[in-house]
């Protein structure tokens, strides 16, 4: 026979404390608690029922030490408030800290219409409790942690005013969360990690300081959920996370509505993504997105951005573009659009750049420009409609091409070299297409086909005499530069090593360990960019680099303005330089002094990884002031192991600056007299070598001033001779 025990602080009940009644209760017994405040900590280690006699909220279990309640049996608790006093210690030897009020450990317990205050709830072990109508509020730390192999059933949970995460599901935990409301959360509303597999249905997450949901592992399903007014992304998926959203709404995110990176997989069916300050969807890394019948509108950037090696498949979606593009595919990303529409883009409805690729099947696409193609691949537009409100439906950048398989064009097709009209349908294709080759030429019913010309090949430094002579010519150009003795010597040494490396490769021998990346340390105007450009051309001629072209980058080109923007931006610049030289000017600005949280550190980390992944495809040259460059290289262990050689570019001597002016004069058909050289030398000796001194730039500026003074002098002369038109005299030298 089960017992029924009463608890009261006065004479009403048989027991004065809840703990005493629990110790006296039989398995299956019921303990009824009279309304009041009880200062104690409870441990339920048997299957009993604990009930607030006056209804929900009438009984408060308050403890100065945490936790207030530990349940490790199939107990039932109804209508009780559990509160941990602020600043109190944890129970000695307890596994959980003072921010934990309730622990459900390895038990199938029921918490119904209970309130938890001051600390959170931990569900752990193999517990499968039911939480029904529970409120967790005013928590310092996380509100609800589900860990180990726990699998709770949570219905009608309300979490409010917590400083940490609302719900965290980790390890191998699972659980279902239905009709839960999380509001005024100080960190992420929901975090899922490890191999967890929770499900959320009908939940609302609002006023969140972090992300609405941060899924960094496991598999998560959300049905009919709303995420509103998060400071961070509405949903961020990373790592190997797999996420399914059905008929969900993500609105008013301070960053992107949905963001995915790394190897995350996100599937969205139905629902709305609206009014994000970032993108409606942002993809990076190798993330994959499948989106069907989704409405996305009101984003602060491109509605859907697909970057790095990510892929997006959009079916019957309605994208109303925000401040930029409707759909932007950059880097080596790919997308497929089937049906639906992309409208209202302030820039291009669909923008394809770098090595991006897209197939658009039967969609209605319109923007200021309908489609912009600046990619090595040949995008395909099959059927549907492409319209441009500025009169250009399709804009193809120089050297690029596009296949237009029968879309209705409302506006012109501009650019080339190849624009293909109404060609036969090439049939289904995936995203494994190769860079565009010779054009596929179709016919245009209203007139002849539009066929551009194939762009000329880039200039080849090797010439008819072979690479050996070409390298000698390039080294001669380097030697003709004024000053730079150390840089010339170091480059010559590197070329010798590279020649040996190339010979070993041709002989089938492995190359010796060698870092081709360099630090150029010197003040502005000391020839660093010129030497970098020649170095790239030399390596191309030797066959070490594919193209040898130079891409110049600064901090502004590499560092983003918001979280999640820097890595894609850095990667895009890096990929532009593949096959050539990435020249980072003022590289030290990526590691500013005293700013550990600066986004520059993310740019550096991204560069280090890319340099490792593409070690044979690029040369990176970091340039800047000598003292600052030493600090930059020391800021990241990956930099110090990759930048092992520093070329120093000392300031030009006054006589060398005179030589630079004379070289400029000769190039523009002017002559310097002997006395003019002496006046120039005196001028450069007088100019202080302060921080703003420009070295070669100063010399070029002086030459410009001389030509202006010369023009004024000659124009006001009574008579002139042919020599007067070319000779620069001492009076043409500026005073200071």
């Amino acid at each position: 026979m089960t017992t029924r025990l009463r608890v009261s602080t006065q004479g009403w009940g048989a027991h004065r404390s809840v703990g005493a009644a629990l110790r006296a209760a039989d398995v299956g017994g019921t303990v009824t608690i009279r309304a009041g405040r009880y200062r104690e900590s409870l441990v339920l280690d048997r299957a009993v029922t604990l009930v607030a006699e006056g209804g929900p909220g009438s009984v408060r279990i308050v403890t100065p030490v945490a936790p207030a309640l530990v349940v490790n049996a199939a107990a039932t608790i109804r209508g009780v408030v559990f509160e941990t006093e602020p600043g109190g210690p944890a129970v000695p030897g307890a596994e959980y800290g003072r921010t934990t009020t309730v622990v459900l450990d390895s038990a199938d317990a029921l918490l119904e219409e209970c309130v938890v205050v001051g600390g959170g709830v931990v569900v752990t072990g193999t517990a499968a409790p039911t939480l029904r109508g529970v409120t967790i509020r005013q928590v310092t730390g996380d509100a609800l942690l589900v860990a180990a192999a726990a699998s709770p059933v949570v219905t009608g949970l309300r979490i409010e005013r917590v400083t940490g995460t609302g719900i965290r599901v980790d390890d191998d935990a699972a659980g279902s969360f239905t009709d839960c409301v999380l509001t005024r959360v100080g960190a992420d509303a929901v975090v899922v990690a490890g191999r967890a597999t929770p499900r959320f249905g009908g939940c609302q997450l609002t006023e969140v300081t972090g992300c609405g949901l941060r899924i960094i592992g496991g598999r998560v399903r959300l049905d009919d959920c709303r995420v509103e007014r998060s400071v961070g992304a509405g949903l961020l998926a990373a790592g190997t996370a797999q996420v399914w959203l059905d008929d969900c709404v993500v609105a008013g995110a301070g960053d992107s509505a949905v963001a995915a990176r790394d190897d995350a997989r996100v599937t969205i069916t139905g629902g709305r993504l609206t009014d994000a300050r970032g993108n409606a969807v942002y993809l990076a890394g190798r993330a994959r997105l499948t989106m069907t019948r989704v409405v996305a509108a009101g984003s602060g950037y491109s509605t859907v951005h697909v970057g790095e090696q990510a892929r997006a498949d959009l079916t019957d979606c309605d994208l109303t573009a925000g401040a930029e593009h409707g759909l932007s595919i950059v880097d080596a990303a790919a997308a497929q659009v089937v049906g639906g529409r992309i409208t209202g883009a302030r820039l291009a409805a669909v923008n394809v750049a770098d090595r991006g690729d897209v197939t658009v099947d039967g969609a209605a696409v319109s923007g200021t420009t309908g489609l912009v193609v600046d990619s090595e691949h040949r995008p395909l537009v099959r059927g549907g409609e492409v319209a441009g409100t500025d009169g250009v439906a399709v804009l193809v950048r120089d050297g690029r091409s596009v296949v237009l398989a029968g879309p209705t064009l409302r506006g012109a097709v501009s650019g080339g070299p190849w624009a293909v009209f109404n060609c036969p349908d090439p049939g289904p294709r995936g995203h494994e297409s190769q860079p565009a080759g010779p054009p596929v030429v179709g016919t245009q019913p209203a007139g002849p086909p539009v066929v551009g010309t194939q762009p000329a090949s880039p200039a080849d430094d090797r010439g008819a005499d072979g690479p050996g002579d070409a390298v000698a010519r390039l080294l001669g150009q380097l030697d003709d530069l004024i000053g730079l003795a150390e840089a010339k010597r170091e480059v010559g040494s590197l070329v010798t090593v590279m020649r040996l490396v190339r010979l070993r490769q041709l002989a089938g021998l492995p190359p010796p360990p060698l870092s081709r990346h360099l630090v150029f340390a010197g003040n502005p105007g000391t020839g660093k960019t010129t030497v970098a450009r020649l170095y790239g051309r030399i390596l191309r001629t030797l066959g070490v680099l594919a193209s040898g072209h130079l891409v110049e980058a600064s901090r502004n080109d590499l560092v983003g303005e918001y979280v999640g923007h820097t890595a894609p931006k850095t990667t895009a610049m890096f990929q532009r330089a593949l096959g050539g030289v990435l020249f980072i000017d003022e590289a030290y600005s990526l590691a500013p002094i005293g700013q550990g949280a600066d986004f520059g550190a993310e740019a550096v980390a991204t560069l280090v990884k890319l340099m490792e992944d593409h070690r044979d495809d690029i040369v990176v040259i970091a340039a800047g002031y000598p003292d600052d460059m030493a600090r930059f290289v020391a800021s990241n262990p990956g930099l110090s192991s990759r930048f092992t050689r520093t070329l120093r570019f000392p300031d030009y001597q006054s006589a060398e600056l005179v030589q630079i002016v004379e070289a400029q004069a000769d190039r523009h058909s002017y002559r310097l007299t002997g006395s003019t050289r002496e006046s120039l030398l005196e001028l450069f000796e007088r100019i202080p070598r302060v921080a703003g001194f420009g070295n070669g730039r100063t010399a070029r500026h002086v030459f410009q001033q001389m030509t202006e003074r010369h023009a004024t002098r000659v124009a006001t002369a009574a008579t002139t001779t042919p020599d007067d038109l070319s000779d620069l005299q001492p009076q043409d030298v500026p005073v200071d």
Side-chain angles (χ1 to χ4, degrees), residues 202-553:
C203 297
Q204 298 183 44
L205 319 177
T206 64
E207 298 182 53
V208 180
T209 301
C211 296
L213 300 104
R214 185 184 297 270
I215 316 299
I216 55 178
R219 305 173 68 200
V220 182
R221 293 186 178 274
L222 298 101
D223 298 298
D224 192 26
C225 293
R226 296 184 66 91
V227 183
E228 298 178 303
R229 301 192 302 281
S230 61
V231 174
L235 165 69
L236 172 62
T240 58
Q242 298 181 52
V243 187
W244 291 265
L245 290 85
D246 290 326
D247 295 319
C248 294
V249 174
V250 182
D255 201 319
S256 297
V258 174
R261 63 174 189 239
D262 305 327
D263 292 293
R265 301 289 186 268
V266 178
T267 301
I268 309 176
T269 304
R272 301 175 61 87
L273 310 175
T274 61
D275 301 324
R277 293 187 63 183
N279 309 99
V281 175
Y282 179 88
L283 303 178
R286 295 171 298 277
R288 296 291 183 267
L289 169 75
T290 301
M291 200 160 75
T292 306
R293 300 188 307 279
V294 173
V295 175
S299 55
Y301 295 95
S302 297
T303 305
V304 176
H305 175 93
V306 191
E308 298 185 13
Q309 297 175 326
R311 170 174 173 161
D313 291 286
L314 313 179
T315 302
D316 296 330
C317 293
D318 187 345
L319 310 183
T320 302
E324 294 183 347
H325 307 293
L327 170 62
S328 181
I329 308 105
V330 299
D331 306 328
Q336 179 165 321
V337 180
V338 178
R341 63 177 187 167
I342 304 174
T343 60
R346 295 184 185 178
L347 299 178
V350 178
N351 176 67
V352 196
D354 305 322
R355 289 182 290 162
D357 195 16
V358 66
T359 298
V360 181
D361 267 319
V365 172
S366 67
T368 301
T369 304
L371 170 66
V372 174
V373 178
D374 191 10
S375 170
E376 296 178 11
H377 290 281
R378 184 189 297 120
L380 166 65
V381 181
R382 186 163 39 197
E385 178 179 292
V386 182
T389 58
D390 67 349
V392 177
V394 180
L395 174 61
V396 185
R397 302 293 187 190
D398 290 345
R400 309 305 192 187
S401 63
V402 62
V403 177
L404 303 176
T408 298
L409 300 178
R410 303 200 182 279
V413 176
S414 176
W418 305 305
V420 183
F421 292 85
N422 296 321
C423 68
D425 188 335
R429 69 171 198 164
H431 295 286
E432 294 75 27
S433 57
Q434 299 300 315
V440 177
V441 182
T443 58
Q444 184 180 13
V450 177
V451 184
T453 58
Q454 186 169 356
S457 300
D460 193 333
D461 289 309
R462 287 172 290 191
D465 298 328
D469 293 330
V471 171
R473 284 194 297 271
L474 291 169
L475 288 173
Q477 293 179 33
L478 177 65
D479 194 56
D480 289 341
L481 297 177
I482 295 164
L484 308 177
E486 179 181 345
K488 293 173 183 176
R489 183 174 60 254
E490 290 288 343
V491 170
S493 174
L494 284 168
V495 168
T496 300
V497 174
M498 294 297 180
R499 277 176 164 157
L500 176 60
V501 169
R502 186 61 176 159
L503 288 173
R504 286 179 60 88
Q505 289 176 328
L506 293 174
L509 298 172
L514 176 68
S515 175
R516 299 177 297 185
H517 310 302
L518 303 173
V519 172
F520 282 9
N523 292 324
T526 50
K528 299 186 293 295
T529 306
T530 301
V531 173
R533 185 172 286 108
L534 279 171
Y535 184 53
R537 292 171 62 188
I538 290 170
L539 294 184
R540 178 186 186 275
T541 304
L542 289 171
V544 176
L545 289 176
S547 62
H549 66 291
L550 183 80
V551 173
E552 297 183 60

Side-chain angles (χ1 to χ4, degrees), residues 6-233:
R6 289 187 173 91
V7 179
S8 175
T9 56
Q10 299 177 359
W12 176 82
H15 299 277
R16 295 292 181 265
S17 72
V18 180
L22 290 175
R23 288 190 292 273
D26 296 330
V27 173
T30 298
V31 175
T32 302
I33 313 170
R34 191 172 186 183
R37 186 173 185 269
Y38 300 81
R39 285 180 63 84
E40 53 187 308
S41 298
L42 306 179
V43 176
L44 274 69
D45 56 3
R46 67 190 75 181
V48 298
T49 298
L50 200 65
V51 180
E53 187 266 342
S58 62
V59 174
R60 302 179 70 87
I61 307 296
V62 182
T63 178
V65 296
L69 173 67
V70 175
V71 182
N72 49 32
T76 298
I77 305 99
R78 289 192 178 96
V80 180
V81 177
F82 296 94
E83 181 175 351
T84 300
E85 293 181 336
V91 173
E95 180 182 354
Y96 304 98
R98 63 181 178 82
T99 59
T100 301
T101 297
V102 174
V103 177
L104 307 177
D105 186 1
S106 301
D108 299 336
L110 168 64
L111 263 70
E112 188 170 28
E113 296 185 295
C114 293
V115 177
V116 180
V117 182
V121 175
V122 173
V123 185
T124 187
T126 58
T130 297
L131 283 72
R132 187 181 302 138
V134 172
T135 297
I136 306 173
R137 65 171 184 251
Q138 295 173 273
V139 174
T140 301
D142 296 344
L144 174 59
L145 169 63
V146 183
S151 182
V153 177
V154 182
T155 304
L157 172 68
R158 184 174 183 88
I159 294 175
E160 57 188 14
R161 290 177 290 165
V162 301
T163 63
T165 298
I167 299 173
R168 181 183 297 271
V169 188
D170 207 341
D171 304 328
D172 292 294
S176 65
F177 301 82
T178 306
D179 298 331
C180 300
V181 177
L182 286 72
T183 184
R184 299 173 66 183
V185 179
D188 302 319
V190 174
V191 173
V192 179
R195 296 174 297 277
T197 56
R199 299 188 65 143
F200 297 84
C203 297
Q204 298 183 44
L205 319 177
T206 64
E207 298 182 53
V208 180
T209 301
C211 296
L213 300 104
R214 185 184 297 270
I215 316 299
I216 55 178
R219 305 173 68 200
V220 182
R221 293 186 178 274
L222 298 101
D223 298 298
D224 192 26
C225 293
R226 296 184 66 91
V227 183
E228 298 178 303
R229 301 192 302 281
S230 61
V231 174

